[in-house]
């Protein structure tokens, strides 16, 4: 999705903003960059770009020679959490609260 100068000027008019011609050009570019970024985020959320987005960073920063082995945050939370069930951390209830 992209917008043009006319659309930016129309939206500015609806917001009762007075824009100079150079401001309309700058805002058109800014809005188009924002919309492009939102499209990329939507693609990652839908899973279309998940493999490409995850691949360059997979294992990045994990030092095999570090004391204790690789960084536990490079794997899922179930591998280092005391209790992790169905995608959630399981924590004990606060003092004085019963499971009833």
């Amino acid at each position: 999705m992209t917008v043009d100068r006319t659309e930016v000027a129309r939206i500015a008019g609806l917001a009762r903003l007075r824009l100079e011609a150079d401001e309309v050009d700058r805002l058109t570019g800014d809005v188009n960059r924002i919309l492009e970024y939102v499209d990329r985020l939507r693609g990652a959320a839908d899973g279309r770009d998940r493999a490409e987005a995850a691949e360059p960073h997979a294992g990045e920063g994990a030092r095999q020679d570090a004391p204790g082995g690789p960084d536990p945050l490079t794997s899922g939370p179930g591998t280092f959490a005391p209790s992790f069930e169905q995608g959630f951390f399981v924590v004990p209830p606060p003092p004085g609260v019963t499971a009833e």
Side-chain angles (χ1 to χ4, degrees):
M1 172 183 218
T2 60
V3 295
D4 59 3
R5 293 183 91 256
T6 307
E7 186 70 12
V8 170
R10 185 183 75 79
I11 293 169
L14 291 172
R16 297 183 181 178
L17 298 173
R18 231 178 262 134
L19 299 176
E20 300 295 326
D22 61 328
E23 291 175 310
V24 173
D25 291 334
R26 183 180 54 81
L27 285 174
T28 301
D30 290 349
V31 169
N32 283 323
R33 279 190 295 279
I34 291 169
L35 291 172
E36 178 185 323
Y37 184 67
V38 169
D39 284 341
R40 278 192 283 153
L41 289 176
R42 185 176 294 131
D46 292 344
R48 291 188 311 238
D49 298 334
R50 190 166 305 180
E52 295 105 26
E55 217 163 284
H57 304 291
E60 188 174 293
R63 291 185 50 192
Q64 301 300 326
D65 63 336
D71 184 0
L73 295 178
T74 58
S75 58
T79 60
F80 65 85
S83 185
F84 189 76
E85 296 175 12
Q86 298 176 359
F88 294 96
F89 292 101
V90 180
V91 295
V97 176
T98 60
E100 296 172 357

